[in-house]
Structure formats: structure tokens, C-alpha cells
Amino acid sequence: MATRHVVIIGAGIVGAAVAARVAAREGCEVTVLEQASSGRLPGSTGHAPGFVGTLGDAEVLTELARASVAAYRELEWRGEAGFDQVGGVEVARSAEAAKRLAARADAASAAGLGPRRWRRPRRRRFVPRLIDPAGVEAALHFPL
């Protein structure tokens, strides 16, 4: 079998996960290229390290996010999981932001992501650790 030489552009979470998956295939040699200086990730990984959202602005991006999460779940290092999905919370602090959050909730429901809009008592139970609940107009929870 001939060796395939694969180049991955970007060393963020997506590039690293793709590189790990491709490198695990027999006959594949992987090179990862990153333009950022060492220790600095300017892309989405650097802007929101540890956060992996599953709702994209377009259907194709949502599907890419789902496929990415499936690949991340397979990552491990020395028998330890390399990725733990814990869900996420989005909050809106204005009426305008609450409308955008409602639209995101509708889009997430249509995509089968199972978001939960929080009513005021539920928000007060969860949101205080993140933000003063007095300033929260709406909240959206994305479970696992």
C-alpha cells in the first residue's frame, strides 16, 4: 500500500482532531501546518478554548459541528478521554438579544439539538454562577 501524505491546515481543535483521525489510518502520514506563533491560537480555538458549539449559522455548519463532536469523543490519551461534552448555556441580557436567542432556540430545535429555554425559576438556579440573574432576559441550555 502506498503512503498517503495528508496536510492539515490549522492546529486548533478541529485540525488536531482531524489529524489524529487521519494519522490513525494505515498508510497515512500527516503534517499539520499552523500560521500562528507558538503558544498562540488566533482561530476559534483561541477565542473560545474548551467550548465546542453544535449549532452553526447554516445547516452544513451544524452537521460539521456534529461530526466534529463525534470525532472528538473518540480522542484519548493514555486511556483517558480527550474530550468531555458537558453542554452549554447562552444568556441574553437585553430584549433584542433575547429575540436572537429565541431564534437560535428555534433553529436548534429544528436541527434536533434539544435546547431548553429556561423559565425564570430555572434560570435563577443555574445562571447565578455565570452572571447576575437580575440582568438575564432569557437563557438557553444545550444539553449533552
Side-chain angles (χ1 to χ4, degrees):
M1 174 185 238
T3 300
R4 290 188 211 170
H5 299 278
V6 179
V7 177
I8 306 293
I9 308 296
I13 182 105
V14 173
V18 169
R21 188 166 236 189
V22 171
R25 292 182 175 182
E26 187 175 330
C28 288
E29 184 178 298
V30 176
T31 300
V32 178
L33 301 177
E34 174 59 53
Q35 74 173 359
S37 57
S38 179
R40 183 174 167 265
L41 293 174
S44 62
T45 300
H47 287 48
F51 177 75
V52 178
T54 52
L55 179 62
D57 292 335
E59 185 177 337
V60 68
L61 296 176
T62 298
E63 291 307 312
L64 175 61
R66 283 181 158 156
S68 297
V69 167
Y72 303 156
R73 284 187 183 138
E74 294 178 14
L75 295 174
E76 64 175 56
W77 176 255
R78 298 182 180 167
E80 296 284 329
F83 177 79
D84 292 318
Q85 187 176 7
V86 297
V89 175
E90 294 183 25
V91 296
R93 296 182 59 166
S94 69
E96 182 179 323
K99 286 180 186 177
R100 287 193 304 271
L101 202 60
R104 284 184 54 74
D106 291 342
S109 291
L113 295 175
R116 296 184 202 134
R117 293 182 201 188
W118 287 348
R119 297 191 186 334
R120 194 165 288 279
R122 186 165 180 88
R123 282 193 317 225
R124 291 197 184 280
R125 212 174 349 158
F126 290 101
V127 175
R129 293 182 183 178
L130 304 173
I131 192 169
D132 179 5
V136 175
E137 292 287 325
L140 183 62
H141 174 234
F142 287 90
L144 297 178

